[in-house]
Amino acid sequence: MLSPALADLLEGRDWRLIDPPQPSDTPGKIEVLEFFSYGCPHCSDLNLIVNSWSKGLAADVSFRRVPVSFGRAAWSSLAQFYYALESTGDLERLDQSVFDALHKQRLRLFTKPAILDWVVEHGVDSKAFSDAFDSFDVQTKLSRSDYLVGRYRIDAVPTITVAGRYAVLGREVKALPELLTIADGLIAKARAEGIAG
């Protein structure tokens, strides 16, 4: 029996089924993915909210962000930017600053030289970052994110998916935190159905 909150979630309005279901990269946990781009203003608006929300997720839930390119060169560079910051250990410190640079300061951080100048100004070692930016590891992660975008049929960002089976739609939400309320409901649904990676 679904809880009243779950019963209120409506397929086609609040969420859509991912068919076929996708395997988890974190076996034994309910995997929640946020598909996003630094180039997306809505992703920027959601970022602080989702970061706070993700820290309160239960132990049986794994949260991971997936930067997307949608085949755009500028967004591909931004995805590379994300993974390079992750690789150098600077992601947590600079993540929101990247969004702010793009959307508040209107900086054009779409090429490696522009990105490199920016990270150096923010105390990142230029050689370590440059090496990470061009690394095989980052290129592999970019390929994997493009693969996931196709498998999950992601056509807009931000999109949150749960357990490789549900994608949050939120067609009638009035504020971004409501997307996370739907995600919470889908996590509960996955848990009730015994779905974990």
Side-chain angles (χ1 to χ4, degrees), residues 12-16 168-174 179 182:
R13 179 193 69 191
D14 300 314
W15 60 277
R16 70 167 169 83
V168 174
L169 291 175
R171 298 200 192 280
E172 295 180 10
V173 301
K174 294 181 178 33
L179 295 175
I182 295 170

Side-chain angles (χ1 to χ4, degrees), residues 114-151:
I115 291 168
L116 201 51
D117 287 346
W118 187 88
V119 296
V120 168
E121 286 175 16
H122 288 79
V124 178
D125 179 87
S126 63
K127 179 166 180 5
F129 183 85
S130 182
D131 290 350
F133 193 85
D134 295 323
S135 69
F136 178 75
D137 183 52
V138 166
Q139 294 304 318
T140 301
K141 288 178 177 179
L142 289 172
S143 295
R144 175 75 176 150
S145 71
D146 287 341
Y147 172 79
L148 290 174
V149 165
R151 296 298 297 169

Side-chain angles (χ1 to χ4, degrees), residues 23-52:
S24 171
D25 284 347
T26 50
K29 294 194 179 242
I30 298 167
E31 186 176 61
V32 176
L33 302 178
E34 180 204 4
F35 291 87
F36 82 102
S37 172
Y38 279 139
C40 161
H42 301 297
C43 298
S44 179
D45 293 341
L46 182 64
N47 192 52
L48 288 175
I49 302 165
V50 82
N51 280 341
S52 175

Side-chain angles (χ1 to χ4, degrees), residues 151-190:
R151 296 298 297 169
Y152 280 78
R153 295 181 293 126
I154 303 301
D155 58 6
V157 287
T159 296
I160 297 169
T161 65
V162 175
R165 286 168 174 69
Y166 315 112
V168 174
L169 291 175
R171 298 200 192 280
E172 295 180 10
V173 301
K174 294 181 178 33
L176 289 171
E178 293 176 50
L179 295 175
L180 303 179
T181 301
I182 295 170
D184 283 334
L186 293 173
I187 290 167
K189 177 177 172 60

